[in-house]
Amino acid sequence: AQAPLETSPTKFHHSVHNAAAGYWAIATGCLAPYTALTAHRYTFGTGLLAATAAALTEHSRVLYVAYDIEASGPLAMMTRTRGLLGAALVLAPCASSSSIARIALQAVPREAAATRARPQNAALVDGNAMASSLPLFETLADEAARLIVLSLGRRLALDASVAPCSGVAPD
């Protein structure tokens, strides 16, 4: 109401959180369904759980993309987020010859300290809502087995058991 030109339909259209998914679908001609969600610092874990559920229930591969950009304008007055961080995974209901790891998820109703990234990596994305994704990607890069704990909320944790794939039969 104080600055009507700042809320033009064009500016609003490009500011909604599902705009990136819509533009990607248009650019690639993809007709598959997509979901856009946001849960601030819980977004990565919540999105991973939702994408995994979609892969399992639809018995198909799912592209999971998570990103956060620095807040600006009126949003920056309500929430702080710094920098730019994006991550993507292709999740499948069954391992294949292209699989690099198996990830088993379990939502657990408890308060839990989320797994932290290595200090040198954490420093690069401090203040970004997607920073919680780093421990998973560090584990994938290390080709290691590890339990990653992601927060889904104040009283809900997501235990992600990661194990490298070895000797998986072709699709």
Side-chain angles (χ1 to χ4, degrees):
Q2 295 173 341
L5 295 179
E6 292 180 18
T7 56
S8 72
T10 302
K11 286 185 178 184
F12 174 77
H13 170 77
H14 297 294
S15 71
V16 295
H17 77 275
N18 67 340
Y23 289 144
W24 181 83
I26 292 167
T28 62
C30 179
L31 300 177
Y34 67 87
T35 300
L37 61 86
T38 181
H40 189 49
R41 67 179 182 263
Y42 308 124
T43 301
F44 182 75
T46 302
L48 180 62
L49 183 58
T52 300
L56 292 172
T57 58
E58 298 298 323
H59 199 70
S60 65
R61 292 181 177 151
V62 170
L63 173 63
Y64 174 47
V65 178
Y67 70 94
D68 189 36
I69 61 174
E70 191 159 329
S72 62
L75 182 60
M77 292 185 288
M78 300 184 68
T79 186
R80 297 188 186 272
T81 185
R82 291 182 344 130
L84 173 65
L85 180 59
L89 294 166
V90 175
L91 303 171
C94 299
S96 72
S97 59
S98 59
S99 297
I100 63 169
R102 294 177 192 265
I103 303 172
L105 302 179
Q106 181 176 4
V108 184
R110 65 171 156 73
E111 292 183 39
T115 304
R116 296 189 184 273
R118 294 180 185 123
Q120 66 272 24
N121 293 335
L124 296 172
V125 294
D126 183 41
N128 188 284
M130 288 303 114
S132 63
S133 68
L134 285 184
L136 175 61
F137 287 96
E138 289 172 344
T139 301
L140 294 174
D142 292 343
E143 298 179 356
R146 184 177 182 198
L147 174 67
I148 306 293
V149 178
L150 297 162
S151 294
L152 295 177
R154 290 185 185 149
R155 294 181 192 94
L156 189 61
L158 182 65
D159 289 349
S161 297
V162 181
C165 284
S166 57
V168 175
D171 294 347

